[in-house]
Amino acid sequence: MNAENTVKTCCERAVAALYGGAVAEVQISKTRKEFEGDYTLVTFPLLKISRKAPEATANEIGIWLRENCAETIGNFNVIKGFLNLSLTPAYWIGAMAEMRGEPNYGFVCDNGRAVMVEYSSPNTNKPLHLGHIRNNLLGYSVSKILEANGCNVLKANLVNDRGIHICKSMLAWLKFGEGETPESSGMKGDHLVGKYYVAFDQAYKAEVRQLMAERGLDEETAKREAPIMREAQEMLRRWEAKDPEVYGLWERMNGWVYKGFDETYRALGVSFDKVYYESNTYLLGKELVQRGLENGVFFRKEDGSVWADLTGDGLDQKLLLRGDGTSVYMTQDLGTAVQRHGEYGLDEMVYVVGNEQNYHFQVLKLILRKLGYEWADGIFHLSYGMVELPEGKMKSREGTVVDADDLIAEMVATARAVAVEAGKLDGLSDEEIAEISRMVGLGALKYFILKVDPKKTMLFDPKESIDFNGNTGPFIQYTYARIRSLQRRAEEQKGEGRVASAADFFDGRVPEAKEIELIKLLTEFGGVVREAGEAFSPAIVAAYAYELAKEFNQYYHDYPILRSDVAAEDRAFRLVLAGEVARILARAMGLLGIEMPERM
């Protein structure tokens, strides 16, 4: 049940009955807090057909609504051209009863759309870091939100497992590794390979400096001439030629990385339905480029490289194949897009990729359309801002990133320390403390990242995220745990003969103003889910969850539930209301990938 839609329908009936005309859209919004009312009708767009002043039009509609929609509309007041409508207590009680009868409340079953969401997309030359965490959390949450909107969602991961950057780690391991393995070093495989990516960069910079000092080369020339970079480029050519020695090393080191990635994904609580590998899809991409070349869509330069000329579309020329025949990112993205659509006939393809790739995806859609793929219009780039720290930006090559595994462990440890200090874990077993600490630490991390609009660059502060007060994950989790504690105590009281069940005491009840505010918030959940799906924004769900938790805590402060002087019917109704708040909080936070502890 959506109260706003109900009010809108009533207002449309009123306009049709009073003025016999139709308007493009009856404008309904929530009444501003400084005015009395639940929803507000803006009358100005109606004046052409009412042919009356704004106040007169509002009063006329208000009277009609009160007489003809009496079961829904109680009182009204007019402020200039704004008609503020208050819904009846009976309406809100009915809304709550209807809500309780819907196990899937707020979600849509099936809208017939097939959507693939690609996220994570790591390189196999380094471990996942804080930037990857935002990517993974966004992708997983958007997938959950689209599922809640009735989409058939496939969660995909495209692993960047080939290219010059992969060869850099491989070459550095050959030069400096002395046969080191995850087993011999005690390091996770992705961390070990990342160590050699940093080692390559250090050796490369040293060679560049040496060439500049000894041969007087400028920096750009020195970078091209550096022996270790030339070796890496030769290794890439050998890899594409399926050289057994290079290919075997590639498979071995990637195997180390995949095992490490899987551990991180499990700890973070994200998963995938389908994993693609660029080492497979780039071949199809090269075929597409060759086909486009033959059909005159692309052109070849004197050095043998293949390009797309997009200058007529206001862009530039885009490299698709290097002169030596090796591919670039665009090549494999073309192949991957065509393969996916062929496999699943997707209605939409959502790429969760940072905003530094905005141009890349603009070009990808344009090239696919030039190749004749009309479904390219269904590609959407969920462009998100970078994550920064109080200390500044992160750089993988220089080894200055915040490692995902370390951050997850730190968040869990911090959650445990804060909860112990606050006395929130007293009386629990070691196993319970460990599990609650995991839920709260991850909840803090996920909520802090997802509450920010995806398009915005964000500053991540671990200490701020773990606070049990304010707009944080632990605050919402604690609200849920508090309600679950109330429900357990109510069950105990019922066993002692006191009436504290969830029986219906709805008939004829006039809810308090704060109860109406809570019910109103609960009825808005479906609209929030829909809005978040349309905007691909978990931040909308996060803001709603916080508002609901905050509203409940204010309500509970003013209206005790299990105190001995509370009437049985009040106790029962408040328990039902609290239970619905807990249910919707859990559903909302579930869309963010956040688990809710039963006790804290």
Side-chain angles (χ1 to χ4, degrees):
M1 174 181 284
N2 186 297
E4 188 170 329
N5 288 342
T6 301
V7 172
K8 185 176 180 181
T9 300
C10 287
C11 290
E12 287 171 343
R13 287 174 54 203
V15 170
L18 289 168
Y19 311 121
V23 290
E25 179 107 19
V26 171
Q27 295 180 15
I28 301 291
S29 60
K30 285 197 271 188
T31 302
R32 287 163 53 180
K33 289 189 180 294
E34 61 265 33
F35 299 117
E36 181 186 349
D38 297 314
Y39 295 95
T40 297
L41 168 69
V42 182
T43 63
F44 299 107
L46 308 175
L47 301 185
K48 287 183 180 179
I49 58 174
S50 73
R51 301 182 185 279
K52 296 178 181 176
E55 292 87 348
T57 302
N59 272 297
E60 197 168 46
I61 295 173
I63 292 170
W64 191 96
L65 289 171
R66 195 165 58 189
E67 291 175 351
N68 296 276
C69 293
E71 71 286 353
T72 300
I73 307 298
N75 298 317
F76 72 89
N77 66 84
V78 176
I79 307 230
K80 296 185 177 178
F82 299 92
L83 172 61
N84 300 319
L85 302 166
S86 296
L87 277 59
T88 64
Y91 173 85
W92 293 119
I93 292 294
M96 185 169 161
E98 185 176 323
M99 187 189 316
R100 291 184 66 209
E102 292 187 34
N104 204 40
Y105 179 73
F107 292 178
V108 175
C109 290
D110 185 7
N111 68 14
R113 287 172 61 211
V115 182
M116 180 175 283
V117 181
E118 178 196 291
Y119 56 98
S120 197
S121 303
N123 295 328
T124 57
N125 63 336
K126 56 192 174 187
L128 303 179
H129 55 63
L130 177 55
H132 289 115
I133 285 182
R134 188 178 197 190
N135 182 295
N136 278 278
L137 296 182
L138 268 175
Y140 186 76
S141 180
V142 166
S143 299
K144 300 285 283 184
I145 289 168
L146 291 175
E147 286 175 353
N149 278 283
C151 297
N152 177 17
V153 178
L154 282 158
K155 303 188 296 293
N157 185 359
L158 173 63
V159 181
N160 302 307
D161 65 340
R162 59 164 299 283
I164 191 68
H165 50 294
I166 309 300
C167 291
K168 289 176 182 179
S169 295
M170 293 163 57
L171 182 60
W173 184 85
L174 283 176
K175 285 179 171 294
F176 317 124
E178 299 180 346
E180 186 178 29
T181 67
E183 291 74 23
S184 69
S185 66
M187 294 177 70
K188 276 180 77 215
D190 50 339
H191 288 236
L192 179 63
V193 173
K195 167 184 167 182
Y196 288 100
Y197 183 59
V198 173
F200 177 94
D201 190 62
Q202 292 168 342
Y204 173 52
K205 286 179 177 177
E207 287 187 357
V208 169
R209 287 193 298 269
Q210 185 177 2
L211 287 171
M212 292 172 68
E214 295 180 357
R215 292 172 51 185
L217 300 178
D218 63 82
E219 186 176 4
E220 285 304 311
T221 304
K223 284 181 177 179
R224 287 196 304 271
E225 296 294 327
I228 196 168
M229 181 60 77
R230 286 176 171 265
E231 286 184 78
Q233 290 167 342
E234 174 60 24
M235 179 176 275
L236 176 59
R237 285 189 286 273
R238 290 174 63 194
W239 181 89
E240 291 210 5
K242 292 291 195 302
D243 180 289
E245 182 182 350
V246 173
Y247 214 80
L249 176 61
W250 171 78
E251 288 180 320
R252 184 185 187 197
M253 292 182 69
N254 273 355
W256 296 343
V257 174
Y258 296 146
K259 188 175 180 181
F261 282 171
D262 286 344
E263 288 182 37
T264 307
Y265 289 140
R266 279 194 298 272
L268 196 56
V270 301
S271 60
F272 307 94
D273 303 307
K274 177 78 175 180
V275 179
Y276 293 90
Y277 299 91
E278 284 192 1
S279 55
N280 295 325
T281 62
Y282 89 101
L283 295 171
L284 176 55
K286 292 178 79 168
E287 290 177 19
L288 289 169
V289 172
Q290 184 60 40
R291 196 183 312 159
L293 186 63
E294 293 168 0
N295 294 333
V297 179
F298 309 133
F299 71 97
R300 190 187 297 276
K301 290 191 176 182
E302 291 181 0
D303 65 356
S305 59
V306 179
W307 296 72
D309 185 1
L310 308 177
T311 53
D313 301 282
L315 303 178
D316 57 7
Q317 294 184 348
K318 180 65 181 176
L319 175 67
L320 299 177
L321 282 178
R322 298 185 185 94
D324 61 5
T326 57
S327 61
V328 294
Y329 273 124
M330 185 59 68
T331 321
Q332 48 253 25
D333 274 354
L334 289 168
T336 307
V338 171
Q339 180 178 336
R340 287 166 170 166
H341 196 272
E343 289 173 343
Y344 298 106
L346 302 168
D347 296 296
E348 199 161 7
M349 176 68 223
V350 180
Y351 291 84
V352 184
V353 181
N355 55 17
E356 76 279 5
Q357 295 296 327
N358 288 350
Y359 183 76
H360 175 89
F361 285 99
Q362 186 181 358
V363 171
L364 175 66
K365 290 179 69 169
L366 182 54
I367 291 178
L368 284 168
R369 281 198 295 265
K370 287 181 178 295
L371 288 170
Y373 297 110
E374 294 181 4
W375 48 258
D377 291 333
I379 288 176
F380 178 80
H381 174 206
L382 177 49
S383 171
Y384 65 90
M386 296 296 99
V387 185
E388 295 179 0
L389 297 161
E391 297 80 20
K393 293 184 178 180
M394 303 178 293
K395 296 181 181 178
S396 299
R397 289 188 304 274
E398 298 173 11
T400 60
V401 301
V402 174
D403 179 77
D405 297 310
D406 292 344
L407 181 58
I408 291 169
E410 178 191 336
M411 293 297 295
V412 173
T414 303
R416 180 172 187 146
V418 171
V420 167
E421 185 179 343
K424 295 183 181 298
L425 300 176
D426 294 348
L428 299 180
S429 68
D430 289 342
E431 291 79 9
E432 288 174 319
I433 290 173
E435 182 64 1
I436 292 171
S437 300
R438 183 190 66 80
M439 286 189 190
V440 174
L442 280 173
L445 171 65
K446 292 179 180 184
Y447 186 85
F448 196 88
I449 286 177
L450 293 174
K451 74 176 182 179
V452 178
D453 185 310
K455 294 185 287 293
K456 294 181 179 178
T457 295
M458 66 169 294
L459 187 71
F460 179 71
D461 186 340
K463 293 179 182 176
E464 185 182 339
S465 72
I466 215 83
D467 197 336
F468 280 80
N469 297 299
N471 189 8
T472 66
F475 170 72
I476 299 170
Q477 289 174 314
Y478 182 69
T479 302
Y480 174 84
R482 167 184 261 181
I483 295 172
R484 297 295 290 132
S485 175
L486 280 170
Q487 291 175 319
R488 287 191 296 273
R489 284 164 50 204
E491 283 299 311
E492 293 171 4
Q493 289 184 0
K494 194 164 72 170
E496 297 167 4
R498 296 180 60 188
V499 178
S501 70
D504 286 335
F505 284 92
F506 283 40
D507 290 344
R509 182 178 182 84
V510 178
E512 302 286 349
K514 283 187 179 292
E515 290 170 340
I516 287 177
E517 283 304 311
L518 272 177
I519 297 171
K520 190 190 304 183
L521 266 176
L522 292 171
T523 67
E524 292 169 4
F525 179 53
V528 168
V529 173
R530 183 177 62 255
E531 183 185 355
E534 291 170 352
F536 299 99
S537 178
I540 293 170
V541 177
Y544 171 81
Y546 172 60
E547 186 65 24
L548 181 57
K550 185 174 67 171
E551 194 69 37
F552 175 79
N553 280 289
Q554 291 172 348
Y555 169 70
Y556 183 60
H557 178 269
D558 296 339
Y559 294 89
I561 296 177
L562 297 183
R563 211 168 60 192
S564 59
D565 60 343
V566 176
E569 56 270 27
D570 290 334
R571 185 184 304 126
F573 180 80
R574 292 171 190 175
L575 273 172
V576 171
L577 180 56
E580 286 305 297
V581 170
R583 179 166 76 110
I584 300 307
L585 280 179
R587 289 175 83 78
M589 294 291 270
L591 294 177
L592 307 180
I594 296 174
E595 299 171 85
M596 301 293 265
E598 291 292 304
R599 58 186 80 229
M600 280 174 69

